[in-house]
Each structure stands twice: as structure tokens, then as C-alpha cells.
Amino acid sequence: MTDNQNNRRESDLSAIMVIFGGTGDLTNRKLMPALYNLVLDKLLPEHFAVVAVGRRDKTREEYLNDIYASINKFSRNKIDDSIWLQLKEKIHYYQFDFTEMNGYTGLNEFLNSLDKKAHTGGNRVFYLAVAPEYFETIVQGLQNSNMAKKQGSWSRLIIEKPFGKDLITARNLNNKLLEVFEESSIYRIDHYLGKEMIQNIMVLRFCNSIFESIWNNKFIDNIQISLTEKLGVGTRGGYYEHSGAMRDMIQNHIIQILSLVAMEPPINLKTDSIRTEKQKVLEAIEDITPEFLKNNVVFGQYGPGIIDGNPVPGYREELNVPKDSSTETFVALKLHINNFRWAGTPFYIRTGKRLGKSSAEIVVQFKDLPNILYFKDQEIQEPNLLVLRIQPNVGVFFQFNTKDFSTHNGIVPTKMDTSSFSPTQGNTPEAYERLIYDILRGDATLFSRWDEVEAAWMIADRLIQYREQKRSQFPNYDAGTMGPIRAFELLAKDGRKWWHV
């Protein structure tokens, strides 16, 4: 690479990242540790600055002390003071109530003066690490102060989920954003898409003929996507009452994973080509009618129970949760994708809180062989399984059958497993590190395009409306179990079961 190319690449990455909500939990737990590790890995440009916007009265030194403590607590790598010094010089604190429109002019002047010192070329990343109700307010402030667009530089808007609370509010929010920013400049973050194994789904499929050649309804019996948590809602009861498992997990994380697992090969690895194939999957999901919902969806809410030997309260006993709450903390769902690749192959989805284990994984169960040859008598045929482990273990598990060498003619399932905790694979980067780096590079592949968000809400809205119309007998599962009995019956009636590998 020539010096001119290096200089051009550096100028493309150079920017000021403005974090609204600079004293909040997301900034302290995720964003600042991610920035620290990007400095450690030499992935942040030299000409880069961070402006943390907060309402609290703090000096820059006080703020830096708080951030140092957060990085020390939450970083995946032990803090190195020489690396911290490099990041520290880039961080600035700006006290400002972002609900006050007259304050944006002062922020703009501060950023312009910082541009001259940091040589960031006027490029901006506006990261809204705030509650969703403030998204429109901040974007309006950026527009009024002429910060959204600058001649000869770029600006990118980063927003965290949830993107609205239903299809109508999501469309209204999107229209407001598009009045100020172009679609290509809006980065809707779903941190699950930054996880290593989620990115690895496409690599496993499209770099291995052994998988892609059989990745269809001729060879796959069913696919299961499970995102389960031992934790309850904790202090987030107020938020969760307006969210539930549908809005918190299904509408974004799980539907995004589903589209990656089921998509057709893109024509190239460009952002829009990948997003287009994901969108086609969502459009091919079978019609979600009331009759379909009656037979294919299960809602649950946890009651008191035992987790790791300790008693825990039920959802209705959590802080800020009504005693008669009908909010779901568990969803199990069966879907079909009606295209040539997947017609007839069910996709089973489940997610919930206060379950028996915390994990995120995709299980691909391949079809059984005919009951002849080795299986014609009494041998029990264990299916071939491919398991993509997203967390807490990150890796690929494969189960296949082989001879039992301790007997004359026995058949046993053999397991091949990989894990990110293996010393040979090192310490896996956190999702936000990858996502921030992609934002600076202008790579939106791992971010949601509006039509994906819209299609996901069309699916989720029908499920939410059905849940709100039906009377559920909650709570219907004990904390520490794997959900309501009906979630197991959902698969049992098809002659299948949830896999615990």
C-alpha cells in the first residue's frame, strides 16, 4: 500500500465520536472499554477524538477518572497505563442538557475548535447512547445547529435498539431520521450482529462446500435458535413492562439471526447485496394468521424458583412490575420460510429469562438415514447435529455417528467441538469493538437497513397483538426450568425435541 493510500485511509477513518449519554451505563460498560481495546489493537486512527456529552457537572479530570475505573472493570483486556494514556488524550467531556435546543450551537463550536486540534477533517459519528424517547430530540438539535451535514466531510448517526415500539412508531421515527440523515448514514446497532459466531455463520456456509451443498430442506430436518438467560429483569422492570421478550429479543436479535442462517448466497460481499438476501428471507416467512398463532406460538412468564441453588422471585415480584402483569418473559415459536430452499423445514425459536441455563446457540438437525443397514435392527439412530455456539462458549459443535470401539458392532455419536476459550484462539473481541470499527470504515454490513427493521416489525406486531388479545395464565413456568410445558409440546407434536447439547 502506498503512502498516499495510507494517508487516504487514515483521513477516511479520522473523526470525532460524539456520545450523547456520555455518563450512562452503555458508555461505561461497553463503548469506552471497546474504544480502549481498539487503541490496544491499533485500530483507531491517529486523528480521532471522543466527546462525551452529559448533563452532570464534572470536570474533564473527574470524567476521565470515572472512565478509567469503568475500563478497568469491564474491559476484556487488563488495562495498560500506556494504552490508557493514548485513549485519555482523545477523550473530552462536554456538559450539556441535550433536551435544550439552544445548547447545540455551543456544542457545534466546541467540535469545530476540536477539529483544528485533532485534525479530524470535520467527520462526525453521533452515537445516541440514550433512551429511545430522546432520539428525535437530539436529531432535531443536530439539524437546527447544522451539525448533521458538512461540506467535504461525512456524518454518521448511530442508534441503539429498540427502533420504535411497534411498526407505526418505528416508521414515524425513521421518517424523522431521514429528514436529517440519508439512509446510508444511519447505523442501527444490534450488538448481537457484532458477535464473532454470528459473523461466522456466513463463513461456515459459504466457505465450506460440505455445509452449503446440504444447507437446504433436502438434508436438514429442522433448525433451532435459542437465546436463553438465567438472569431475571433485575432493576429493569419498568423498561421490560413496555418491552417483553417479543420486543426485547424476537423483533431484533432473533429475526436478524434467522435471516443470516436462511439467506441465499449473495452475489458479492458488499453491504447491500448481503442485506438484500436477508430481506428476502423475511419476506418469505409464512403468513402469520390467527390460526397459525394458535398452534405455533407459546408465551410464558416466570414465577419463583431456584437458580444455581438460590431462591429467586417471580417476575411479578420484581421491582417496578405490577402484581398482575401479563408481560411475557418467554416466547417459543415455530416458523416456516416458504421458498425453494426451505419449504417444509421448520424453524423453532425460543428466548426467555430465568431459565435453566444462559446460552445462545443455533442447532441444525440433519435428516435421519433410512432404517436399513446399521439401523435396521435395534440401533438407535442419533441425528447429525451442527451447533453454532454464540455465547457463553463461542465455537462450532458437530455430532456424527461412528463405531463404538468398546463393542463388536455398536454405533455411538461422536462429538467434534471447538471453543473460543482454547488458548490457540485467544481472546475474542467484544461486539462493540467490531461495530465501532465498522462505523468508522463506513461498513454497514452488520447494521440493520430500514426495510429489514420494517419487515421484522410486521412479524413482531402480529405476535404482540395476538399476545395482547389472549388471556394467559401467568406465571406458567418456574424460574430455573427451561420454560412452559407447552414449549416442549410445540416440538413434541412434530416428533421433535429441543436439543441440549
Side-chain angles (χ1 to χ4, degrees):
M1 186 178 284
T2 67
D3 288 342
N4 286 338
Q5 286 174 318
N6 277 323
N7 290 336
R8 184 164 62 250
R9 181 178 181 276
E10 172 70 20
S11 65
D12 289 343
L13 289 171
S14 299
I16 297 176
M17 175 180 279
V18 184
I19 303 176
F20 291 92
T23 58
D25 189 61
L26 176 62
T27 301
N28 281 276
R29 291 174 62 92
K30 298 294 184 181
L31 302 186
M32 289 299 181
L35 289 169
Y36 170 82
N37 286 303
L38 287 172
V39 174
L40 179 66
D41 293 338
K42 296 181 172 53
L43 293 176
L44 275 189
E46 178 185 352
H47 301 297
F48 181 79
V50 181
V51 175
V53 175
R55 304 183 195 188
R56 299 176 190 175
D57 184 10
K58 290 178 181 285
T59 65
R60 183 185 183 195
E61 197 61 34
E62 289 172 335
Y63 183 73
L64 289 171
N65 288 338
D66 292 343
I67 294 304
Y68 181 89
S70 294
I71 294 173
N72 201 35
K73 182 176 181 181
F74 298 113
S75 171
R76 68 181 173 89
N77 288 304
K78 186 177 179 180
I79 198 164
D80 179 316
D81 285 342
S82 65
I83 302 299
W84 162 244
L85 185 60
Q86 295 178 47
L87 178 61
K88 177 180 177 181
E89 292 175 349
K90 299 178 185 294
I91 298 176
H92 304 266
Y93 182 69
Y94 189 85
Q95 185 186 358
F96 161 50
D97 184 346
F98 51 73
T99 63
E100 299 292 335
M101 286 294 123
N102 56 10
Y104 284 85
T105 300
L107 175 62
N108 192 22
E109 293 172 354
F110 180 78
L111 296 179
N112 288 335
S113 66
L114 187 57
D115 262 331
K116 298 173 183 177
K117 299 175 186 175
H119 306 290
T120 51
N123 297 328
R124 302 280 188 269
V125 174
F126 297 109
Y127 201 121
L128 308 194
V130 298
E133 57 261 32
Y134 297 117
F135 290 170
E136 290 183 32
T137 300
I138 294 171
V139 169
Q140 188 64 51
L142 295 176
Q143 182 182 40
N144 293 347
S145 56
N146 298 314
M147 278 193 277
K149 295 178 182 177
K150 289 185 68 175
Q151 191 70 28
S153 60
W154 51 258
S155 296
R156 292 168 188 153
L157 179 71
I158 321 303
I159 59 174
E160 290 270 346
K161 75 171 186 78
F163 316 122
K165 64 178 183 179
D166 52 29
L167 180 59
I168 293 174
T169 57
R171 280 176 173 163
N172 290 340
L173 171 61
N174 191 61
N175 290 337
K176 293 291 184 182
L177 300 183
L178 289 176
E179 289 175 4
V180 184
F181 291 89
E182 296 177 355
E183 171 64 30
S184 60
S185 298
I186 301 172
Y187 289 67
R188 303 170 186 86
I189 274 199
D190 182 342
H191 68 270
Y192 254 79
L193 297 187
K195 293 182 182 293
E196 290 293 312
M197 187 48 61
I198 297 299
Q199 299 164 39
N200 199 31
I201 291 171
M202 287 179 57
V203 175
L204 280 171
R205 286 189 56 190
F206 304 135
C207 289
N208 296 286
S209 61
I210 190 174
F211 292 135
E212 181 54 24
S213 60
I214 59 174
W215 205 261
N216 55 57
N217 53 11
K218 295 181 180 65
F219 298 97
I220 292 177
D221 179 83
N222 72 90
I223 294 179
Q224 302 176 15
I225 301 172
S226 295
L227 273 56
T228 63
E229 298 179 77
K230 283 186 178 181
L231 294 175
V233 296
T235 59
R236 299 171 67 237
Y239 160 79
Y240 207 83
E241 267 300 287
H242 296 95
S243 164
M246 279 300 311
R247 293 185 175 96
D248 192 46
M249 298 296 288
I250 297 286
Q251 186 274 330
N252 40 74
H253 301 329
I254 288 181
I255 288 181
Q256 284 290 326
I257 293 171
L258 173 69
S259 63
L260 280 170
V261 170
M263 66 184 278
E264 294 294 325
I267 58 172
N268 55 47
L269 294 178
K270 293 180 180 178
T271 297
D272 275 342
S273 298
I274 294 170
R275 286 170 154 185
T276 296
E277 296 306 329
K278 290 169 61 185
Q279 173 68 12
K280 289 178 182 177
V281 172
L282 303 186
E283 292 174 356
I285 291 176
E286 66 185 305
D287 291 340
I288 299 179
T289 63
E291 187 62 28
F292 162 87
L293 291 167
K294 180 180 177 182
N295 297 317
N296 294 294
V297 65
V298 178
F299 297 109
Q301 184 190 93
Y302 66 85
I306 305 293
I307 299 281
D308 295 332
N310 300 309
V312 294
Y315 176 72
R316 294 177 177 180
E317 298 161 358
E318 302 278 18
L319 187 67
N320 297 323
V321 174
K323 301 303 179 186
D324 59 349
S325 172
S326 59
T327 299
E328 81 285 355
T329 62
F330 176 97
V331 179
L333 177 65
K334 174 184 171 183
L335 290 174
H336 282 100
I337 297 171
N338 290 330
N339 59 23
F340 276 100
R341 182 182 291 266
W342 295 116
T345 298
F347 287 74
Y348 298 105
I349 290 165
R350 66 173 169 176
T351 184
K353 290 188 173 294
R354 285 291 190 219
L355 299 176
K357 70 172 184 175
S358 291
S359 70
E361 61 187 27
I362 303 157
V363 179
V364 180
Q365 178 182 336
F366 294 94
K367 289 185 175 180
D368 289 340
L369 290 167
N371 286 319
I372 57 176
L373 297 179
Y374 292 102
F375 303 113
K376 69 178 180 179
D377 297 321
Q378 296 182 358
E379 290 288 352
I380 297 174
Q381 182 175 178
E382 289 287 339
N384 296 152
L385 299 176
L386 177 67
V387 184
L388 310 183
R389 289 175 166 159
I390 302 165
Q391 65 181 34
N393 297 320
V394 181
V396 180
F397 172 99
F398 187 47
Q399 175 178 293
F400 58 97
N401 295 309
T402 187
K403 178 178 171 55
D404 182 357
F405 295 106
S406 64
T407 67
H408 288 292
N409 57 1
I411 304 292
V412 293
T414 297
K415 301 168 176 60
M416 296 177 63
D417 202 356
T418 66
S419 171
S420 64
F421 294 110
S422 167
T424 60
Q425 293 191 27
N427 197 353
T428 303
E430 290 292 321
Y432 280 93
E433 296 169 33
R434 172 63 189 265
L435 295 172
I436 290 173
Y437 181 58
D438 282 357
I439 290 165
L440 292 175
R441 295 190 301 133
D443 184 351
T445 305
L446 298 177
F447 299 83
S448 302
R449 197 169 63 187
W450 165 245
D451 55 358
E452 293 179 68
V453 175
E454 185 176 42
W457 269 123
M458 287 179 178
I459 297 166
D461 265 7
R462 291 174 186 148
L463 292 163
I464 292 168
Q465 290 165 6
Y466 177 74
R467 191 260 298 157
E468 290 175 344
Q469 291 167 3
K470 73 189 296 285
R471 296 176 62 88
S472 299
Q473 297 297 317
F474 288 159
N476 60 354
Y477 70 96
D478 294 339
T481 64
M482 289 306 294
I485 295 297
R486 281 199 62 224
F488 294 89
E489 295 172 347
L490 181 66
L491 274 71
K493 68 183 181 182
D494 296 338
R496 300 183 176 98
K497 66 177 182 179
W498 294 107
W499 288 101
H500 301 281
V501 180

